[in-house]
Amino acid sequence: DPDWASAHPADPAQRFTLGLVGVLPERKGLDRALDVLALLRAEDRRFRLRIRGHRPEEVAWVRSRPAAQAYFAAQRRRLTEDPMLAGAVAWDPHGPDMSAWYASVGTVLSTSAFESFHFTLPDGAVHGCLPRSLAWAGADLLYPPDWLAASTDELARGLHDEVADLARWTRLTAEAAAYVAERFAERRVVPALADAVLGLR
């Protein structure tokens, strides 16, 4: 249903705010998201990042794993020591109000090493955000090529060009919302799932 798609942010400058949903465990790629942000801010200081979800220090299993602790401690140091990142990252607590949160960002990122689907990409798209991802294995079977990048450098270069041009960003977000509304529509997904599970055809 195309009505899923929310209006774009009231402030056009909000398109420079990247959104990352969840950073646990390490394979979610917080380090890669920070790499992308640093590359973008080297060209344009309007870029910022909002992270939605639990902080690592709030989660018991992170505190019990030395490797995880060391990884996230290194990312925290980057946030204070790297001039391209300092003051440019906000952490929003875990919660159910995702529609309101998507309204605060203009681009949603997936920087995971691998995923099965990564709901953030289509969910962000139908909420009026630009979805962009590293090309984890299988992403090309789900999402259009222009949503995907082979490296953080490529992801940052593409985002810089797409976000800097308001007309282009507006067109691309509309195309992404339309893609999700069509590709994952109930009228398509439910019969296909039934066929796969029940072998009706």
Side-chain angles (χ1 to χ4, degrees), residues 110 132-136 144-156 158:
S110 172
R132 290 296 180 262
S133 177
L134 290 177
W136 35 268
D146 64 343
W147 288 26
L148 309 175
S151 67
T152 53
D153 286 351
E154 182 182 317
L155 184 54

Side-chain angles (χ1 to χ4, degrees), residues 32-169:
R32 293 182 289 275
L34 296 182
D35 291 345
V36 170
L37 180 62
L39 288 165
L40 287 168
R41 284 178 58 79
E43 300 294 328
D44 190 331
R45 289 299 185 103
R46 288 177 291 180
F47 281 98
R48 303 182 64 80
L49 175 66
R50 297 186 76 104
I51 300 169
R52 182 65 190 263
H54 294 296
R55 290 176 179 266
E57 61 270 21
E58 298 170 344
V59 179
W61 67 258
V62 174
R63 296 193 300 269
S64 70
R65 285 180 50 204
Q69 283 186 311
Y71 169 85
F72 287 111
Q75 309 321 309
R76 284 194 296 273
R77 284 194 299 275
R78 292 179 67 185
L79 293 178
T80 57
E81 296 174 2
D82 186 335
M84 289 297 116
L85 300 175
V89 178
W91 208 301
D92 300 314
H94 176 80
D97 56 333
M98 289 304 296
S99 292
W101 187 81
Y102 283 124
S104 73
V105 303
T107 298
V108 290
L109 291 181
S110 172
T111 51
S112 298
F114 67 90
E115 291 280 355
S116 61
F117 183 76
H118 209 168
F119 187 67
T120 296
L121 294 171
D123 199 29
V126 299
H127 282 90
C129 301
L130 181 68
R132 290 296 180 262
S133 177
L134 290 177
W136 35 268
D140 59 321
L141 302 177
L142 296 167
Y143 302 121
D146 64 343
W147 288 26
L148 309 175
S151 67
T152 53
D153 286 351
E154 182 182 317
L155 184 54
R157 283 195 304 271
L159 277 172
H160 178 272
D161 294 344
E162 292 163 344
V163 172
D165 183 336
L166 176 58
R168 185 178 179 188
W169 177 84

